[in-house]
Amino acid sequence: MQNVKAFLKDKFLLNAIESHKLIINGGESVRLEEMGFEEGTSLERVHEYNAFTILTKLKFPIEEATEIESESVKLLDDLAKQNLSNEEIIKSLLEYRKEVGN
């Protein structure tokens, strides 16, 4: 498995994970502008963007990262709902990727 510590140094990845957790757990009350998104951007679009960013940074296949109904995105959303630490989310996703052979 790739070194989790290397991923924990990636500020772009960490920001995407934090943003994803806020969106999944905060719903409509999330202020996207405070996360750097333009006013009027839909939550669904930011959700897709964050999932894509996180999964591609962790070297998931592009098909898994772009399909919002993929098992990888569902797992990411579930982990975000649990409000786990960034490290725990990264570890869990990398373990899953290894299990499914991606």
Side-chain angles (χ1 to χ4, degrees):
M1 184 183 335
Q2 288 184 291
N3 188 348
V4 173
K5 292 192 186 309
F7 287 115
L8 290 172
K9 293 178 183 175
D10 185 334
K11 298 296 181 200
F12 191 65
L13 173 61
L14 298 179
N15 286 338
I17 293 171
E18 286 300 322
S19 174
H20 202 77
K21 288 192 283 188
L22 286 172
I23 289 167
I24 293 297
N25 294 310
E28 296 297 323
S29 66
V30 174
R31 297 195 35 92
L32 296 175
E33 300 83 32
E34 292 174 5
M35 290 186 269
F37 293 97
E38 291 182 20
E39 185 175 344
T41 304
S42 74
L43 279 175
E44 179 180 315
R45 182 70 188 128
V46 177
H47 174 257
E48 291 172 8
Y49 172 79
N50 283 337
F52 175 81
T53 299
I54 294 163
L55 295 175
T56 56
K57 284 278 191 177
L58 296 176
K59 302 185 183 348
F60 276 73
I62 196 76
E63 302 81 27
E64 283 291 302
T66 56
E67 178 55 53
I68 202 65
E69 296 296 323
S70 74
E71 291 303 314
S72 300
V73 173
K74 290 177 184 176
L75 174 61
L76 171 60
D77 290 350
D78 184 53
L79 296 169
K81 283 178 190 168
Q82 296 175 49
N83 213 18
L84 300 173
S85 71
N86 294 342
E87 183 174 0
E88 290 172 304
I89 289 174
I90 291 169
K91 281 181 182 177
S92 295
L93 288 169
L94 292 175
E95 287 172 8
Y96 173 74
R97 190 189 76 197
K98 184 179 177 183
E99 283 176 21
V100 296
N102 292 327

